[in-house]
């Protein structure tokens, strides 16, 4: 029986339309992408624009046009995505579509290296290392090189592997990565290079590849073996790549090499959703695609099937301010819904109360909890909200970032606090005793038994005879516990604990304690709001169940979702809250000096806002409390300050301007001016725009600079101007951080 074509010829227009599904299942732009088979094609697929449907229909169309499924390669970032696309194509046409090779870059590399890996010294039966295997080898090498053991402050196997892998995925020299992201480990540079050399040799000697090796070795085979490259390129005459904005440099090279003989490649992605540079994703891959592939046809998918038009007007305005992007303007036929709402909270506590109350209100009006999500830039931004939701008995699950009590270093501090409230808490005793050097589980058990049987546990602890090897540390612990009895507030107790814990903290978490320290600063801010310790401990213990980040499971459990934006990409909810939209928090203060990072933060907000279907709430605190307990004014995020009036509704208490109390930022917003500087949270007695020249000493122009001039930066410290690279950019060398390129609009650079 003759098969009816899925894309029969439409006699009136000369175009082909999908008869089995219906002519309206593809819009004009999707249809153009489906029909364009030969040559390089870049599909800029806006959020919610149906890119998966486009890829599936294109795959079906190619098979119907007589292209053998074996000649098609579909590269995705998850195996599940590839399976679903191929499966949907098969259901639309027939099972011949199952012969399409679809999978992740790593999976395809693995299959082809089984055949061609001998060119780089690997037999077909090589073994793939998982993360635990790789860390075990690193540990073995550390020991063999005498770089581990008692008293050694050497990086852990986890951090060493992160450094080695990060260097590969970001295509950066290991030395450069350490100096920029692990500067506190610079003293171990030579040893890290030795470990990497031995690690690479060990894998070769034993026929092992880790995940990074799959990409590197596959790329090398394609690049160095011309007959192999021709053979693979001839087999895969048509290549499609999903989420191209998330590819790293090696993956882009692989695509280029596979398509070298024909150039038939379609990549689908959204430059405005490129947010994974920390994993090695290279924004330049999608931006430079037309340069790398001359004659590229660019197709924009701009019709959004997710969000209301009022939400899209705001998201379009957010991304229009980007320094570099592919122009596009998302639109929707969904006319219902309100404008996004902005709540300028008095402080972080009021922000948490507002969000929790609004969620409860919407739920009572009929919106299920699982159709609502609260998104934030960093995991610790939700700590206050978690406590507020727990006290309101609103069940939630958190994705992408640990809850307040789940990070090891915060658990440590809470253990000391719990002992103040309950000296019989054996779990907390075990935890803190095992922090003592030379004290193992058996010794800790003996001490806990002695303390637990005593009427006065602290007195019994002070009389316990410590071994000489840990006597000094034990004595310090006892002294600290006695001192806590005289501390009248939870904040004072925390500060005394930190006096004792700081050296313990740096010893236990020596390889990444600078990043963990920020969590403890946030913890200090939170505990400072409590009058009694028991009140804090009660709130901290009201955690939701430990749930997995599965949208379908979340729906089944009917729970509210709290998520970092990175973990929420690709998902959608009826109602979305984005919190902490204050300058210095979003964008992060650490990103402000670096234009590329600053722009990625803008894209991060765009991704968050485009998750909302019907309602979008934006909140920020006008005041925050710093770890030193000083109160700081906060201004609205510059990404929102750039928006035209009328896009966002003000829901601040009293009906006043949402920017009241925000000084220059409020005036700038009302005038609809584009900001040319960063505003940030500042102390009340020093509230000024970040680049206000009068009375601040801030450097705003390269005309104020010369090479060799001494300067200082709020994060990097003192440095020296090495080169003036542009009208607003300079290269500055900082002794502790190396060479940095700074943009004066954002850098807050001062004369030293």
């Amino acid at each position: 029986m003759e098969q009816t074509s899925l894309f029969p010829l439409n006699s009136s227009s000369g175009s082909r339309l999908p008869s089995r599904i219906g002519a309206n299942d593809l819009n004009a732009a999707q249809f153009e992408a489906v029909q364009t088979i030969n040559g390089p094609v870049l599909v800029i697929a806006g959020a919610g624009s149906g890119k998966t449907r486009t890829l599936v229909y294109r795959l079906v169309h190619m098979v119907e046009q007589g292209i053998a499924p074996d000649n098609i390669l579909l590269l995705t970032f998850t195996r599940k995505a590839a399976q679903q696309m191929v499966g949907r194509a098969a259901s639309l046409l027939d099972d011949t579509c199952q012969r399409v090779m679809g999978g992740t870059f790593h999976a395809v590399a693995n299959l082809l290296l089984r055949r061609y890996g001998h060119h780089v010294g690997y037999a077909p039966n090589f073994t793939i290392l998982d993360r635990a295997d790789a860390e075990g080898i690193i540990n073995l090498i550390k020991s063999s090189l005498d770089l581990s053991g008692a008293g050694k402050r050497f990086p852990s196997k986890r951090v060493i592997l992160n450094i080695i892998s990060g260097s590969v995925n970001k295509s950066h020299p290991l030395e450069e990565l350490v100096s920029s992201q692990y500067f506190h480990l610079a003293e171990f540079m030579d040893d890290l290079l030795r470990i990497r050399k031995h690690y690479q040799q060990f894998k070769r000697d034993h026929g092992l590849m880790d995940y990074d090796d799959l990409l590197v070795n596959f790329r090398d085979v394609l690049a160095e073996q011309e007959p192999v490259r021709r053979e693979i390129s001839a087999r895969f005459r048509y290549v499609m790549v999903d989420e191209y904005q998330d590819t790293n440099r090696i993956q882009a090279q692989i695509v280029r090499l596979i398509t070298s003989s024909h150039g038939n490649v379609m990549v689908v992605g959204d430059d405005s959703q490129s947010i994974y540079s920390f994993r090695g994703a290279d924004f330049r891959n999608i931006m430079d695609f037309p340069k790398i592939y001359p004659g590229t046809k660019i197709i924009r998918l701009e019709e959004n099937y997710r969000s209301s038009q009022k939400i899209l007007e705001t998201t379009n305005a957010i991304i229009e301010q980007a320094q570099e992007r592919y122009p596009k303007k998302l639109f929707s036929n969904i006319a219902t819904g309100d404008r996004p709402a902005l709540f300028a909270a008095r402080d972080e506590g009021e922000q948490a109360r507002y969000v929790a109350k609004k969620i409860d209100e919407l739920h009572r009006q009929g919106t299920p909890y699982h159709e609502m999500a609260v998104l934030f830039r960093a995991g610790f931004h939700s700590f206050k909200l978690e406590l507020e939701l727990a006290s309101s008995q609103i069940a939630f699950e958190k994705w992408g970032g640990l809850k307040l009590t789940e990070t090891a270093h915060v658990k440590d501090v809470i253990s000391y606090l719990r002992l103040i409230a309950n000296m019989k808490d054996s779990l907390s005793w075990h935890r803190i005793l095992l922090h003592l050097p030379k004290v193992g589980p058996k010794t800790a058990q003996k001490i806990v038994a002695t303390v637990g049987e005593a009427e006065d546990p602290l007195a019994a602890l002070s009389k316990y005879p410590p071994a000489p090897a840990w006597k000094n540390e034990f004595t310090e612990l006892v002294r600290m516990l006695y001192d806590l009895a005289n501390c009248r507030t939870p904040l004072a107790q925390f500060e005394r604990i930190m006096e004792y814990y700081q050296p313990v903290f740096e010893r236990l978490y020596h390889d990444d304690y600078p990043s963990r320290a920020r969590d403890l600063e946030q913890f200090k801010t939170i505990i400072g709001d409590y009058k009694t310790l028991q009140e804090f401990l009660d709130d901290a213990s009201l955690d939701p169940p430990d749930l997995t980040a599965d949208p379908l499971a979340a729906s089944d459990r009917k729970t509210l979702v709290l998520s970092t934006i990175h973990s929420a990409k690709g998902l959608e909810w009826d109602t979305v809250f984005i919190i902490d939209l204050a300058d210095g928090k979003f964008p992060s203060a650490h990103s402000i000096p670096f234009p590329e990072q600053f722009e990625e933060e803008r894209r991060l907000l765009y991704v968050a806002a485009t998750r909302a279907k019907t309602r979008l709430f934006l909140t920020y605190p006008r005041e925050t409390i710093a770890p030193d307990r000083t109160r700081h004014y906060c201004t609205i995020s510059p990404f929102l300050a750039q928006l035209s009036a009328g896009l966002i509704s003000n829901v601040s208490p009293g009906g006043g301007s949402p920017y009241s109390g925000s000084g220059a930022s409020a005036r700038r917003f009302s005038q609809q001016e584009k900001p040319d500087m960063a505003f940030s949270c500042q102390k009340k007695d020093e509230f000024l725009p970040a680049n206000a020249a009068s009375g601040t000493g801030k450097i705003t122009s390269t005309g104020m600079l010369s090479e060799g001039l001494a300067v200082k930066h709020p994060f990097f410290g003192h440095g020296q101007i090495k080169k003036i690279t542009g009208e607003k950019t300079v290269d500055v060398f900082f002794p502790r951080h190396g060479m940095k390129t700074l943009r004066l609009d954002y850098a807050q650079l001062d004369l030293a």
Side-chain angles (χ1 to χ4, degrees), residues 48-91:
S49 62
K51 69 177 179 63
T52 300
R53 175 184 293 272
T54 302
L55 284 168
V56 170
Y57 274 54
R58 187 175 190 264
L59 194 159
V60 170
H61 181 54
M62 287 194 292
V63 174
E64 280 205 324
Q65 294 301 302
I67 296 171
D70 307 273
N71 294 143
I72 302 172
L73 175 62
L74 172 63
L75 292 167
T76 63
F77 273 81
T78 66
R79 181 177 63 177
K80 183 178 180 181
Q83 289 175 337
Q84 288 180 340
M85 289 186 202
V86 172
R88 284 175 60 180
S91 67

Side-chain angles (χ1 to χ4, degrees), residues 673-691:
E673 296 174 350
K674 292 183 179 180
D676 60 356
M677 78 291 275
F679 282 75
S680 58
C681 298
Q682 302 187 33
K683 292 182 181 178
K684 287 188 175 182
D685 59 356
E686 57 181 33
F687 182 70
L688 284 171
N691 73 337

